[in-house]
Amino acid sequence: MPAVQETVERVKRIDVDQYRYGFETLIESDKAPKGLSEETVKFISEKKNEPAWMLQWRLEAYRRWLTMTEPTWARVDYPKIDFQDLYYYAAPKPKKTISSLDEIDPEILKTYEKLGIPLREVAMLEGVEPKPGEEDPARRKIAVDAVFDSVSVATTFKAELKKAGVIFMPISEAIREHPELVQKYLGSVVPTSDNFYATLNSAVFSDGSFVYVPPGVRCPMELSTYFRINERNTGQFERTLIIADKGAYVSYLEGCTAPQRDENQLHAAVVELVAHDDAEIKYSTVQNWYPGNAEGKGGIYNFVTKRGDCRGNNSKISWTQVETGSAITWKYPSCILRGDNSRGEFYSIAISNGYQQVDSGTKMIHLGKNTTSRIISKGIAAGKSQNTYRGLVTAHRKATGARNFTACDSLLIGDKCGAHTVPYIEAKNSSATFEHEATTSKISEDVLFYCIQRGLSQEEAVGLVVNGFVKDVLQQLPMEFAVEAQKLISISLEGSVG
Amino acid sequence: MMALLEVKDLKVRVEEREILHGLTLTVNEGEVHAIMGPNGSGKSTLSHVIAGKPGYEVTDGQILFKGEDLLEMAPEERAAKGVFLAFQYPVEIPGVATMTFLRTALNAQRKARGESEYSTPDFLKKVREVSKSLNIPQDMLKRGVNVGFSGGEKKRNEVLQMALFEPSLCILDEMDSGLDIDALRIAADGVNALRSPGRAMVVITHYQRLLNYIVPDFVHVMSRGRVVKSGGKELALELEASGYAQFEAA
């Protein structure tokens, strides 16, 4: 497997702090005053040239937020966050309005280059075709809506998507250009009152992606967004809204990296998905935000609310996540299976190393008849990390014939980490069938020695065994990202053994 | 004839307890040596120390491989230099296809030696050749490493790797354990096909039975951490008749 060797090459190139994406781009930025108040909310809304209804929506959320308290039920431990000590908005100061990639600040482009984005994006913009023989059938076109700090600075492939009738744009633009759609769907899956962090997001979200796929349309390309937190002490409050109308299909990939920081940074995103009758949404995440240094200092707090609503009959929503970064992850991509025969899927790889804390899982809420769901979770704990799967599967009284299959596997590397599984299962009607399987295992010295005796280094051996462990989930990722995810997994486990 | 492996007065401890008390053994190119002895005599410890398994402390003596200090090398370096250990109990690696494993390992070894890595078509061609000669079905190569393999299949997989990696020293640790007579014969045939003037083998076993199939040039008897008797292949037959008790008493 050449990927393994490539991984090792990459690992060797990583600097002492082992974080490749830990660089900072020096560009002027436009910040909201520090702290959170109605003024901050108004500042953000004004920056975005938002209509009055949007500001009203934000302010309602803000007032609601003031009455709420932080959740404490997750198995994570961190010092109390001072919400008045954060910046809630930072945008790169644009010199003028941008209409093509050429006009983007070269510093920003360099950032993307380091992230490896333009390799793919630029080639396609230039219309570069792969050489014969190198043709990869999965190398489909990918449209990238790049979010640099809080503003989308480049949106590509707009024209082609427009031809298909697909709307893919920064949500701040959608608020102005498609207010009827935004008003109809925003907050309809994750209401402004949902939870502490979702409510905070509703008040101060700065940007994010908006996707609408009209009835019967199969989105002609993978849609992709890269998030990057660049400014010091800014919370990143992304808001994503994806709607697949009747019979539509869309696959969306989100990738995240953040530069290295000593201060912890808060990220509280909200993602809402709506699938109407016979529609399908596939949402994949590769998250490798800065996890903190070897002593557990720094790193991102990733407190995210992601939820999909299978609103129509025969609709399907599938979440796939590869989570290797962040100091703390608090994330439960969920499905509300409202339509009859709708289907929810959750495929997850969550890797924790060093002092990382992960509390992640899913909720499958069966409301419609004959709804089905499938949960495959692979948790890998190394170093001194704690890795918790927390999941809820519930069948409503009217959800006759509901079925769920859950498999939670945990792999421990070393003896100073922990893996925990907290499944909640509620069946309110007798025709529901729920299956739950769980295993916990440890990478044995014998397995590693076997690999090493055959010529693999310790890191290669761990990478190989772990990639075998997560194979079922990797197969769910769009193929061009599966290889990257595989590399990422090996990189994030560097130094976990021995 | 060149000495391939020289073990000199080797003393080894595991958790404060000395297991090998000064073991000496020389294996030349092209030779097949059998090491016999009762349980706990230190046979497997010797094989593990040569391969570099963690958990063993060498307190005295040395091991030279092709004249170089083997104990100074990391285990994966030893593999790349041509030391191969066929495990008594080969491990299972779920989710990693045997083919992937073989390719990763072979290319890691080649890279360590400064050789070019095999391209996919060249590699496939080589694996097909070797597996055909060992009667290993292609289907087995698609399965996870040793996952759901029978005892015989696991040992054949070890022989397949031996054939593919072309090591100069093969240590076979209790290759006969868990095999019925037919499986044993197939595995032994595979090993015999790999005997060559440039390659030496150390066959570790309790029983003489295996040595009917893999006929050694030399037989050593180990007891309590030392080689207590060496001889030709007839020594194995002697042992079969008289047992290890005579050496235990010594």
Side-chain angles (χ1 to χ4, degrees):
Chain A
M1 188 162 49
V4 172
Q5 276 132 34
E6 244 178 86
T7 298
V8 172
E9 285 304 302
R10 282 179 57 157
V11 166
K12 281 180 189 151
R13 289 202 300 268
I14 290 174
D15 61 15
V16 273
D17 283 299
Q18 299 182 355
Y19 191 68
R20 186 172 166 226
Y21 305 119
F23 49 84
E24 195 174 323
T25 310
L26 295 168
I27 43 170
E28 254 190 295
S29 92
D30 189 4
K31 272 188 203 166
K34 204 180 208 180
L36 185 51
S37 63
E38 293 209 357
E39 274 55 54
T40 316
V41 176
K42 283 175 188 160
F43 177 92
I44 294 167
S45 189
E46 198 175 307
K47 275 283 162 201
K48 299 276 164 196
N49 296 319
E50 285 177 355
W53 60 266
M54 194 65 240
L55 174 61
Q56 212 44 48
W57 196 84
R58 287 175 180 276
L59 287 172
E60 274 166 31
Y62 173 70
R63 287 165 197 149
R64 179 84 185 203
W65 179 77
L66 291 174
T67 68
M68 297 170 95
T69 49
E70 283 181 75
T72 53
W73 43 262
R75 195 188 175 96
V76 294
D77 184 35
Y78 55 93
K80 202 160 167 52
I81 299 170
D82 181 355
F83 289 93
Q84 295 306 334
D85 195 38
L86 294 171
Y87 290 100
Y88 287 85
Y89 179 83
K93 270 184 189 159
K95 290 186 175 69
K96 54 185 172 184
T97 315
I98 294 157
S99 62
S100 87
L101 273 178
D102 300 342
E103 295 172 36
I104 291 173
D105 190 328
E107 286 294 322
I108 292 180
L109 280 182
K110 262 188 232 161
T111 304
Y112 285 117
E113 202 176 300
K114 286 183 204 166
L115 286 169
I117 295 171
L119 298 177
R120 195 165 39 227
E121 188 189 333
V122 171
M124 280 183 294
L125 281 169
E126 301 293 318
V128 179
E129 293 292 330
K131 286 182 198 129
E134 283 179 16
E135 181 58 57
D136 179 353
R139 205 176 168 80
R140 297 178 295 271
K141 288 179 181 171
I142 302 157
V144 179
D145 178 16
V147 178
F148 194 91
D149 276 343
S150 308
V151 179
S152 289
V153 289
T155 303
T156 55
F157 288 99
K158 250 185 176 167
E160 196 174 335
L161 288 169
K162 203 173 175 182
K163 219 167 81 187
V166 175
I167 303 168
F168 178 37
M169 56 172 57
I171 200 162
S172 55
E173 261 178 68
I175 288 166
R176 294 190 299 265
E177 292 179 26
H178 301 281
E180 70 300 339
L181 285 173
V182 176
Q183 268 183 298
K184 183 173 173 191
Y185 291 104
L186 189 71
S188 73
V189 187
V190 179
T192 52
S193 57
D194 194 80
N195 70 71
F196 185 83
Y197 292 107
T199 305
L200 176 62
N201 173 289
S202 300
V204 298
F205 76 85
S206 37
D207 220 329
S209 297
F210 176 81
V211 179
Y212 173 78
V213 188
V217 171
R218 192 178 169 88
C219 185
M221 61 188 80
E222 297 274 349
L223 301 180
S224 173
T225 299
Y226 282 81
F227 292 108
R228 205 168 136 64
I229 301 176
N230 195 59
E231 194 67 33
R232 278 174 195 276
N233 290 325
T234 50
Q236 182 91 349
F237 301 94
E238 296 298 334
R239 186 92 195 187
T240 296
L241 177 58
I242 300 175
I243 302 126
D245 216 322
K246 290 179 181 173
Y249 168 86
V250 61
S251 170
Y252 185 93
L253 186 124
E254 157 198 43
C256 324
T257 60
Q260 195 162 327
R261 295 277 189 233
D262 275 343
E263 309 94 319
N264 290 300
Q265 287 176 295
L266 175 64
H267 178 95
V270 172
V271 176
E272 296 177 278
L273 311 181
V274 179
H276 287 289
D277 287 351
D278 306 303
E280 180 176 347
I281 301 175
K282 192 174 161 64
Y283 192 102
S284 313
T285 305
V286 176
Q287 187 262 115
N288 62 331
W289 274 328
Y290 181 52
N293 70 6
E295 280 79 49
K297 196 163 179 256
I300 300 294
Y301 291 176
N302 192 22
F303 300 152
V304 176
T305 305
K306 291 185 170 178
R307 197 173 301 152
D309 188 356
C310 284
R311 207 162 279 182
N313 294 338
N314 311 310
S315 56
K316 180 178 169 186
I317 287 178
S318 180
W319 298 99
T320 303
Q321 61 172 23
V322 179
E323 301 275 331
T324 67
S326 296
I328 300 175
T329 301
W330 180 96
K331 180 183 171 189
Y332 315 89
S334 303
C335 297
I336 300 167
L337 303 169
R338 201 184 303 276
D340 290 346
N341 309 310
S342 61
R343 180 169 175 82
E345 292 175 342
F346 175 72
Y347 298 98
S348 170
I349 298 171
I351 299 182
S352 54
N353 198 356
Y355 284 85
Q356 279 177 279
Q357 304 174 64
V358 177
D359 194 305
S360 184
T362 185
K363 288 189 275 187
M364 292 292 173
I365 299 161
H366 292 258
L367 301 177
K369 293 186 179 62
N370 300 315
T371 46
T372 56
S373 61
R374 183 178 169 86
I375 299 169
I376 308 288
S377 165
K378 306 276 183 180
I380 296 145
K384 292 176 178 156
S385 67
Q386 296 295 327
N387 201 318
T388 304
Y389 168 82
R390 188 183 301 276
L392 169 70
V393 179
T394 178
H396 191 261
R397 263 184 314 109
K398 289 175 183 164
T400 50
R403 296 181 77 92
N404 165 268
F405 174 78
T406 300
C408 292
D409 298 320
S410 302
L411 187 68
L412 297 166
I413 303 175
D415 52 11
K416 294 187 179 68
C417 52
H420 317 273
T421 304
V422 191
Y424 300 85
I425 298 169
E426 297 169 4
K428 289 176 187 151
N429 78 72
S430 58
S431 65
T433 313
F434 292 167
E435 288 176 70
H436 183 97
E437 290 176 4
T439 66
T440 301
S441 52
K442 219 180 142 176
I443 288 197
S444 79
E445 293 293 323
D446 286 346
V447 170
L448 290 181
F449 181 62
Y450 185 84
C451 297
I452 291 166
Q453 206 296 307
R454 298 299 140 90
L456 273 67
S457 67
Q458 178 100 326
E459 280 78 19
E460 287 171 316
V462 172
L464 189 77
V465 172
V466 170
N467 274 306
F469 176 72
V470 301
K471 195 177 137 209
D472 311 353
V473 175
L474 279 185
Q475 284 169 343
Q476 299 298 328
L477 281 175
M479 206 190 292
E480 57 271 52
F481 297 110
V483 177
E484 287 173 25
Q486 196 174 19
K487 291 174 187 169
L488 193 61
I489 287 164
S490 299
I491 289 172
S492 61
L493 288 169
E494 157 77 342
S496 61
V497 184
Chain B
M1 216 178 302
M2 193 187 144
L4 189 69
L5 177 74
E6 296 165 87
V7 181
K8 295 176 183 170
D9 201 28
L10 188 71
K11 291 183 183 169
V12 174
R13 280 178 180 217
V14 177
E15 290 169 359
E16 302 302 306
R17 199 163 72 91
E18 193 168 275
I19 307 284
L20 299 182
H21 312 287
L23 184 140
T24 296
L25 176 72
T26 301
V27 177
N28 294 312
E29 281 182 337
E31 293 176 350
V32 175
H33 291 242
I35 295 183
M36 302 184 72
N39 279 331
S41 59
K43 304 186 301 293
S44 287
T45 298
L46 176 64
S47 69
H48 290 158
V49 171
I50 294 172
K53 186 173 181 175
Y56 296 90
E57 188 197 349
V58 176
T59 53
D60 202 5
Q62 59 173 320
I63 304 177
L64 299 180
F65 181 68
K66 297 176 183 172
E68 289 182 81
D69 187 350
L70 195 68
L71 297 174
E72 284 297 307
M73 297 177 205
E76 64 268 29
E77 267 181 272
R78 302 181 197 191
K81 294 247 182 198
V83 175
F84 184 92
L85 172 62
F87 286 70
Q88 182 179 2
Y89 302 110
V91 300
E92 298 185 3
I93 314 177
V96 179
T98 303
M99 192 70 102
T100 305
F101 179 77
L102 296 176
R103 187 172 166 191
T104 307
L106 181 59
N107 280 336
Q109 292 192 19
R110 291 182 64 89
K111 208 171 162 198
R113 292 193 292 263
E115 296 165 11
S116 66
E117 293 180 26
Y118 272 108
S119 68
T120 307
D122 289 352
F123 171 76
L124 289 175
K125 195 167 157 246
K126 194 172 164 70
V127 172
R128 284 206 190 100
E129 259 171 40
V130 174
S131 54
K132 207 175 157 198
S133 73
L134 290 167
N135 254 327
I136 290 173
Q138 292 297 304
D139 170 58
M140 198 171 116
L141 303 177
K142 289 179 191 152
R143 286 150 64 187
V145 177
N146 292 324
V147 177
F149 284 25
S150 68
E153 284 175 327
K154 285 183 181 173
K155 295 297 161 84
R156 258 189 287 165
N157 190 11
E158 295 292 283
V159 179
L160 168 65
Q161 293 177 55
M162 207 190 294
L164 203 57
F165 303 155
E166 304 178 88
S168 42
L169 176 67
C170 305
I171 303 163
L172 313 179
D173 192 4
E174 308 268 5
M175 205 184 82
D176 44 343
S177 68
L179 293 194
D180 60 40
I181 202 77
D182 293 328
L184 177 60
R185 186 178 292 130
I186 294 170
D189 285 348
V191 171
N192 284 327
L194 295 173
R195 292 176 78 150
S196 82
R199 179 174 295 142
M201 296 188 184
V202 175
V203 181
I204 292 171
T205 183
H206 283 292
Y207 301 110
Q208 194 271 334
R209 185 180 73 161
L210 175 65
L211 306 180
N212 289 336
Y213 300 100
I214 304 173
V215 181
D217 302 306
F218 301 96
V219 174
H220 308 277
V221 182
M222 269 186 80
S223 175
R224 298 179 178 185
R226 285 189 184 87
V227 172
V228 291
K229 189 166 185 182
S230 297
K233 63 186 171 200
E234 64 289 345
L235 179 57
L237 293 166
E238 250 174 69
L239 276 173
E240 186 78 351
S242 57
Y244 292 119
Q246 49 178 322
F247 303 108
E248 292 282 296

